[in-house]
Amino acid sequence: MNYLISPFVRLMMTRVGVHFESVKGQFSRLSRMNSALAGKRPPFRFRPETPMSDEDLIRFCAANDIARVERDVDGEILVMSPAGTRTGRRNAAIISALDTWAQGDGRGYVFDSSTGFTLPDGSMRSPDAAWVEAGRWDVLTKTEQNRFSPLCPDFLIELRSPTDGLSALEAKMERWIANGAKVAWLIDPESRVVLMYRPGCQPEVQHNPSSTQGTGIIAGFELSMARIWQ
């Protein structure tokens, strides 16, 4: 795959000490970052010398749209590979089911995996699917809605891909809850397990369910797992 590096991406990478060997995006050296990252394609992490503002990060994501990008609470940037087709198909089934329910329910809005949210701890995260109550979204300014909106989804789903480490995903789910999510599901298709997180509770584990039902703010939502397990 040929990666075209825009002038802005080249500028941003220069700020963090990255030098390019070719338009394919291979890194020849990293003078001010961990040298273990040299020559790697996504996924990888780097920490800019000057933390990226939301505006910097938005421009960086737009210019570098071959990958998914998140910002950790300490300012470290996570650059992740696009989803494989099997994971993408599964995620499309999740988004379709969630949006169909939300349209009938009428209390909130659904967001896909390309959406970034700026959380209270300062990190920017992109869940695979998210739902936000309308009242919380509608009070945002147009500018806030057009950026990485400063709120945590009320409900979200993370879908484990074959390259995702389970322990890292479990820690990420805990951070979602700590930042204000009311319900969060972690779906592991390979193990056919669903972990359901809620504030103040241990995760509820469902083994090979035929469907998973929403509770609390998402009562009435049901996700058939047949297309997810395929």
Side-chain angles (χ1 to χ4, degrees), residues 4-157:
L4 298 179
I5 306 301
S6 75
F8 179 78
V9 175
R10 192 177 296 274
L11 172 63
M12 293 301 296
M13 288 302 188
T14 300
R15 286 177 54 188
V16 297
V18 180
H19 299 269
F20 290 90
E21 186 177 69
S22 71
V23 295
K24 293 182 179 179
Q26 294 295 321
F27 304 147
S28 61
R29 64 186 179 89
L30 302 168
S31 61
R32 292 185 292 277
M33 295 195 305
N34 188 339
S35 61
L37 299 181
K40 286 193 175 182
R41 292 182 178 180
F44 64 86
R45 297 169 176 254
F46 70 90
R47 182 172 298 161
E49 288 185 337
T50 302
M52 285 191 191
S53 67
D54 283 352
E55 290 78 8
D56 288 338
L57 192 57
I58 288 170
R59 290 193 294 268
F60 181 82
C61 292
N64 194 28
D65 60 2
I66 59 171
R68 294 179 59 188
V69 178
E70 293 184 339
R71 180 181 61 211
D72 216 338
V73 64
D74 62 359
E76 190 172 51
I77 304 300
L78 292 68
V79 181
M80 297 165 285
S81 302
T85 53
R86 195 177 189 193
T87 298
R89 180 187 58 78
R90 288 166 167 164
N91 203 60
I94 292 171
I95 290 291
S96 176
L98 184 59
D99 192 57
T100 297
W101 167 78
Q103 290 292 328
D105 179 77
R107 293 181 298 116
Y109 305 112
V110 172
F111 303 86
D112 70 8
S113 60
S114 64
T115 309
F117 296 91
T118 300
L119 304 184
D121 65 7
S123 62
M124 189 281 284
R125 301 289 181 184
S126 299
D128 290 308
W131 179 86
V132 175
E133 288 186 295
R136 299 182 62 222
W137 169 257
D138 290 339
V139 298
L140 298 177
T141 66
K142 293 298 183 183
T143 298
E144 290 172 327
Q145 291 178 351
N146 287 331
R147 298 169 59 185
F148 302 129
S149 295
L151 54 76
C152 181
D154 296 289
F155 168 62
L156 64 100
I157 296 175

Side-chain angles (χ1 to χ4, degrees), residues 159-171:
L159 178 65
R160 186 186 183 190
S161 71
T163 58
D164 289 331
L166 183 58
S167 60
L169 277 179
E170 289 174 336

